[in-house]
């Protein structure tokens, strides 16, 4: 039996793994779709769906495959790039983009604020944090500390809050969201309000 090593799997020059459905830039200057990959002990052979040309790939020779950096867009037609903060539809939970896989499915690899990983279609993501009256109504029933943790205030900060500050931050944020939905207030200025590393904006309680 041939000992096939996963490190022999073909990758693009930016480190992205080549998959069936990936587009590879060939010698004719055009991108061609990978139809099949044969993996051997020290090399891989790639076959394409629209040309008789095949490519032999050997990591031992330091070879890297090329592809055009085709942009991948979210549901709002905004380009998704590594390290972006994005949101799933119907969710206010932020995710950090760890990788964008430019293939037939345009999958995006994400991490949540706890380091958990997931992958989803680019068209299921948005750069704008979703909100609705239903979400506001649902969130209004949550305990203030839980709400603050879910809306961008770190667990350490929440743990150091007294009850008065937690309730004030909870109420201020809910009221602001309601005003935005009602169209009576402009979006917040990120330079004036608190922001964590995921881009969650919160409203610090100001004591007298």
């Amino acid at each position: 039996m041939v000992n096939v090593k996963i490190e022999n799997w073909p990758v693009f020059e930016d480190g992205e793994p080549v998959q069936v459905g990936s587009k590879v830039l060939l010698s004719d200057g055009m991108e061609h779709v990978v139809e099949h990959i044969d993996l051997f002990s020290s090399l891989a052979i790639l076959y394409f769906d629209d040309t008789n040309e095949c490519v032999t790939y050997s990591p031992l020779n330091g070879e890297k495959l090329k592809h055009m950096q085709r942009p991948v867009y979210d549901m709002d037609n905004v380009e998704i790039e590594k390290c972006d903060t994005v949101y799933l539809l119907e969710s206010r939970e932020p995710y950090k983009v760890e990788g964008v896989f430019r293939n037939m499915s345009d999958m995006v690899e994400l991490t949540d604020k706890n380091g958990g990983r997931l992958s989803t279609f680019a068209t299921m993501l948005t750069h704008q944090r979703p909100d609705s009256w239903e979400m506001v109504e649902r969130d209004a029933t949550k305990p203030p500390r839980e709400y603050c943790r879910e809306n961008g205030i770190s667990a350490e900060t929440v743990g150091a809050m007294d009850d008065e500050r937690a309730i004030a931050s909870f109420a201020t944020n809910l009221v602001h969201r309601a005003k935005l939905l009602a169209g009576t207030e402009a979006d917040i200025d990120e330079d004036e309000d608190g922001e964590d590393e995921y881009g969650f904006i919160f409203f610090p309680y100001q004591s007298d």
Side-chain angles (χ1 to χ4, degrees):
M1 181 176 180
V2 177
N3 182 22
V4 176
K5 298 180 180 180
I6 194 65
E7 56 262 32
N8 293 333
W9 191 267
V11 296
F12 288 109
E13 55 189 350
D14 58 4
E16 178 182 326
V18 178
Q19 307 173 53
V20 172
S22 295
K23 293 183 178 180
V24 177
L25 190 64
L26 298 183
S27 57
D28 61 3
M30 302 290 291
E31 284 190 318
H32 297 273
V33 177
V34 176
E35 183 177 50
H36 181 73
I37 301 174
D38 282 338
L39 192 62
F40 300 96
S41 59
S42 61
L43 58 85
I45 300 178
L46 285 69
Y47 302 89
F48 303 90
D49 65 352
D50 58 351
T51 177
N52 291 326
E53 182 177 356
C54 63
V55 170
T56 300
Y57 167 90
S58 175
L60 298 177
N61 298 329
E63 293 177 322
K64 300 291 183 181
L65 298 169
K66 295 183 178 182
H67 61 168
M68 296 178 183
Q69 291 297 313
R70 174 179 60 83
V72 172
Y73 299 103
D74 68 8
M75 64 170 297
D76 304 309
N77 207 34
V78 176
E79 185 175 356
I80 300 174
E81 297 182 298
K82 189 174 182 179
C83 296
D84 280 0
T85 297
V86 295
Y87 305 88
L88 292 168
L89 298 181
E90 303 301 324
S91 170
R92 292 178 58 78
E93 182 80 13
Y95 292 90
K96 181 179 179 181
V97 176
E98 297 293 344
V100 180
F101 299 97
R102 297 169 176 83
N103 50 35
M104 294 178 68
S105 300
D106 283 346
M107 299 295 291
V108 180
E109 184 177 0
L110 309 170
T111 53
D112 62 24
K113 60 183 179 182
N114 298 315
R117 288 183 172 268
L118 66 96
S119 296
T120 189
F121 298 108
T123 51
M124 298 297 293
L125 298 171
T126 176
H127 284 76
Q128 297 296 320
R129 196 173 188 192
D131 210 353
S132 66
W133 289 112
E134 290 77 12
M135 289 182 179
V136 170
E137 184 177 10
R138 178 196 64 199
D139 289 349
T141 65
K142 294 180 178 178
R145 292 179 188 278
E146 177 184 338
Y147 177 91
C148 290
R149 283 194 298 268
E150 292 180 357
N151 284 270
I153 304 180
S154 68
E156 292 78 12
T157 301
V158 173
M161 284 180 175
D162 57 27
D163 290 342
E164 184 180 9
R165 183 180 179 190
I167 293 170
S169 295
F170 165 71
T172 303
N173 191 273
L174 274 178
V175 169
H176 179 78
R177 287 171 59 189
K179 286 182 176 180
L180 287 177
L181 288 168
T184 60
E185 184 171 299
D187 207 346
I188 51 181
D189 184 347
E190 295 184 7
D191 294 328
E192 296 179 0
D193 297 286
E195 183 177 13
D196 72 1
E197 73 264 30
Y198 281 98
F200 263 27
I201 297 170
F202 62 91
F203 304 84
Y205 172 63
Q206 302 294 330
S207 59
D208 295 331

